[in-house]
Amino acid sequence: MSVLLTILGRILNPRSNLSRLHRSPRSRQEHMGQLTQHRLRARDVLGNIPLMIGVLIVLGLFLVVLFGPLWATENPYLAGQRTISYNEAGAIIAPPFAPSAEFVLGTDQWGRDILSLLLYGTRNTLIAATFITMSRLLLGLFLGAIAGWNQGSLVDRVIMGIVGTATALPTLITSMILIYALDIRRGVVVFIIALSLVGWGEMAEYIRSEFMVIRKKPYVEGAHVMGLRELDIAVRHVLPNVLPQLVVITLLEMGAVLMLLGELSFVGVFIGGGIQDETVARAVVIPDIPEWGAMMADSWRWARANPWMVFYPALAFFLAVVGFNALGEGLRRLVEEGGFSTAFLLRKRMLLVIATITIATVYIINNVGPAPSYARLAGEFDGQRAYEFVQALAQLDGRGTGQPGNQAAAEYIAERFHEYGVQPGIRGQSYFYNVPTRLVQAVEQPILTLLDEQDQPVRAFRHQLDFGFVIEGHGGGGHVQAPVTFVGFRPGQSRDGQAYRGLDLRGRVVLLLADSAPADFPTEALIRGAQGVIWVVGDGPHDVRSQIQLAGVGGDYLRLPTMPIYRVRPAVAEALLAPAGVDLAALRALTENWPTSDQSWVTQDLDTRVGMSLALSEPQEVQMQTVLGVLPGQDLALDGQLVMVSAHYDGLGRDPDDTIFTAANDDATGIAAMLEIARLWHERDVKPRRTVLFAAWAGGELDHSGAQEFVLNYSGGISILQPVAVFQLDNLGAGGDKLAISPEEGKLADLLAWSANQIGLAVQRENRAYHDYQRTIWQRRPAILVSWADSWVEPQLDTLDRISIKKLEEAGNAIALALIHASREPSF
């Protein structure tokens, strides 16, 4: 009975009673002599009821710490809230749900499984308590030892003054102040730091008293006479005499720390601080880190109606406090009876034990908190499922804007958003952000050919691959067979109408270098009698993309009279120049070695002929349908911040000769990764703290896309949110061995690079975009473009058979990991 009363006393007041550890009036030499004669027997242990109770409970808790998450039915870091359910009779019920076959211990008021919360919470709670206890122990041991070894000195008085001040402050209130000062939202680390700074004073006082006594013992004085250093004396002679008491203190202090954590939770202070929910009548804090204290924080309000909500976390605290206090009490009895020696702690074989404990600690630390759950979630990104999305999009005739496949792609994406629980992004009512634009389409296959002297085709070039047409200014339809004249320009020279006096281009096709010729020169060429214009541009992914969009009403497009204006790659220009015996380098030299006259231009008639044929439809007004889906944030403090995941779903589409550009990698893979993340989050019931916007841009292949219109002009509901991260996905299914991140600097780029490194991917940082709209977003939003390096290929080669499921999955893993961090972590 006395044992039970003792244990009960320890539970009600678990603060370590260090006075019980002082020696009996017997001399220490007599006591040490008895230690050497008394050997620990089995009945000493089995008959020590507090010790046996403590060992069983603490061992059980240790197993839960190691394996608890494996036994849980759901992951509380990712699982969302349950709103309604149905009982066996088919009636609708709302949480909290009573214990049942589905929920063994019931749920809390948010519908979360209490058993899973307890199993995950054991690790967080006990790891926090262990580190707090060890920190207090080390701090008390260090300061107490210094003060006791230097009794009466200035150092002693200063340390004891600090101890007196620390112990005079109310522990609970001081803990609360420190936790909020260090920012409760930073999680376990804040609690470890804050609670380590309180409660260590009693330890320091006890250690000081022990050192004061031991310092005067003859064997210590003998060690001084032998010339041992102070540190050697402390390790060889003082520490072994203090270790038994330190072990007992540590266990008793664990109970005190757990009790303090329970007290803090009762007043609403728990690890992480929770997230604020604004969807109810009053602001409610929802704990988002599974931990016993967090489970008790608000559940006491439900104690009468739903007692299971508070009973189980309270029982966990009770058992843990009983276990550690009972184990401490049992060891104290062994110490007093002389059956417990800590000499083995100082032997070399303890290095193996320490190594084992260290490995276990590293494992536990690496599996505490949300990061391991985030990594496991990202690892579930399914490359095969993403590939199936790519397949579905690649079969839609290239998805060209204004073509049937484009509309089908938009509807397919909206259907997937709805299936995966992503809410409509336009005021909660529609997925489609429609932007009107005007387009022209080629009604016949555009033609560019190299001709012989009889105007017979010698070589034909490929539309959208080797050349594309332009409709700006007087660009438009026409049929031309004519010789070529090169026109070069002096840099920095005035180029008004008078500057071109004497320039005769009648019956010629004009060849211009895009990096030196005036942008408006085609108009002047038309006035001077030219029948067509060929711009020599670069080898970029979209340099020869045909221009079909009339951006804006009343813009300078298709101005009559029209003539064919093409953009060609350098290799095409070299092929056109070959019959004349010149090349681009010779033409550039012609402009660099300028004559001394004041003439601002120079021409060279070339002995080569070309054929140009272009037939265009009348301008048609079409709707660019950007598809927007939203996952609302679940944290009142963070849901005003926006994380965006975006990709464009259109391609070059179908040409008049029925050539289909499937655009599998650019950018069906970006859309596929977005949809797979949405599917995975829906399946795992992931709830972001920040609002997440999924955007499938229309018109990515146009000069003015749906993305640019959204960024520059959208004023809907989500426009009031503060963008903190934009992930632009492109070319994720094929390319080099490195994941490319653009732009190369910034917090978001660092996050993605870290995520890639976590799964073993090399990263290449660069500053380039595949589409004009991507640079527009960079200029106005904290954004990055994610793709595989060296991933661009000619459009006709961008087919489904090039897509690597492995690459798609690896890129998806990295993006999913970065996205879950950006959407949930307050510190991002």
Side-chain angles (χ1 to χ4, degrees), residues 727-730 732 739-741 752 784-788 815:
F727 295 87
Q728 302 174 89
L729 315 182
D730 208 341
L732 299 178
L739 199 63
I741 303 173
L752 201 286
I784 57 168
L785 169 65
V786 188
S787 64
W788 286 106
I815 294 166

Side-chain angles (χ1 to χ4, degrees), residues 298-367:
D298 197 44
S299 59
W300 60 269
R301 302 176 187 274
W302 303 75
R304 289 190 177 182
N306 305 291
W308 66 84
M309 290 174 55
V310 68
F311 174 76
Y312 292 112
L315 179 63
F317 268 117
F318 175 84
L319 290 176
V321 172
V322 168
F324 285 107
N325 282 335
L327 184 58
E329 172 67 14
L331 289 178
R332 185 191 66 79
R333 292 186 180 188
L334 287 183
V335 170
E336 287 189 345
E337 294 170 2
F340 178 70
S341 172
T342 57
F344 69 93
L345 294 176
L346 301 177
R347 294 173 183 168
K348 291 183 179 180
R349 71 183 66 176
M350 276 304 297
L351 293 176
L352 180 61
V353 176
I354 293 173
T356 303
I357 295 175
T358 301
I359 293 173
T361 302
V362 170
Y363 167 78
I364 293 172
I365 292 295
N366 289 334
N367 287 274

Side-chain angles (χ1 to χ4, degrees), residues 261-307:
L261 288 173
E263 293 169 1
L264 287 169
S265 68
F266 195 79
V267 294
V269 181
F270 50 86
I271 294 175
I275 59 178
Q276 299 184 60
D277 184 19
E278 60 183 334
T279 61
V280 293
R282 64 182 178 89
V284 175
V285 176
I286 305 174
D288 61 330
I289 295 179
E291 185 259 330
W292 295 349
M295 295 176 67
M296 290 183 60
D298 197 44
S299 59
W300 60 269
R301 302 176 187 274
W302 303 75
R304 289 190 177 182
N306 305 291

Side-chain angles (χ1 to χ4, degrees), residues 416-436:
R416 298 290 79 71
F417 281 172
H418 179 72
E419 179 182 352
Y420 303 145
V422 180
Q423 299 180 13
I426 306 301
R427 297 178 174 85
Q429 300 175 353
S430 174
Y431 289 107
F432 300 110
Y433 174 53
N434 295 324
V435 178

Side-chain angles (χ1 to χ4, degrees), residues 595-750:
T596 58
S597 67
D598 293 334
Q599 186 171 292
S600 62
W601 47 268
V602 63
T603 64
Q604 180 173 335
D605 292 338
L606 303 171
D607 187 17
T608 187
R609 295 178 64 83
V610 298
M612 304 172 70
S613 179
L614 179 63
L616 299 176
S617 68
E618 292 297 320
Q620 303 171 356
E621 183 165 310
V622 301
Q623 297 290 333
M624 293 190 298
Q625 288 192 312
T626 288
V627 189
L628 301 177
V630 173
L631 291 177
Q634 300 294 307
D635 190 335
L636 179 61
L638 296 175
D639 64 355
Q641 299 178 1
L642 182 68
V643 176
M644 185 185 302
V645 187
S646 68
H648 73 94
Y649 66 85
D650 64 312
L652 296 177
R654 179 190 290 266
D655 260 8
D657 66 350
D658 287 335
T659 298
I660 297 177
F661 302 99
T662 56
N665 198 35
D666 182 18
D667 187 27
T669 55
I671 296 294
M674 181 195 310
L675 293 178
E676 171 58 13
I677 289 172
R679 183 204 64 80
L680 179 60
W681 283 21
H682 177 67
E683 182 179 282
R684 298 297 303 274
D685 200 18
V686 176
K687 302 297 183 183
R689 301 176 74 165
R690 293 181 174 89
T691 298
V692 176
L693 173 66
F694 294 103
W697 304 124
E701 299 290 349
L702 303 180
D703 292 337
H704 188 78
S705 70
Q708 290 160 306
E709 180 67 24
F710 177 85
V711 171
L712 298 175
N713 300 319
Y714 181 69
S715 59
I718 57 177
S719 64
I720 65 174
L721 304 179
Q722 176 192 357
V724 296
V726 179
F727 295 87
Q728 302 174 89
L729 315 182
D730 208 341
N731 291 277
L732 299 178
D737 295 329
K738 294 182 178 180
L739 199 63
I741 303 173
S742 301
E744 60 184 349
E745 296 181 353
K747 189 173 184 179
L748 191 55
D750 293 341

Side-chain angles (χ1 to χ4, degrees), residues 381-396 399 412 416 419-420 664 668-669 671-673 675-676 679 800 803-805 808-809:
F381 181 99
D382 191 336
Q384 179 61 45
R385 284 181 178 265
Y387 180 75
E388 292 171 3
F389 294 135
V390 177
Q391 281 183 310
L393 293 169
Q395 295 169 359
L396 298 177
R399 312 180 302 283
Y412 174 81
R416 298 290 79 71
E419 179 182 352
Y420 303 145
T669 55
I671 296 294
L675 293 178
E676 171 58 13
R679 183 204 64 80
L800 196 59
I803 303 302
S804 164
I805 295 177
L808 187 56
E809 183 168 299

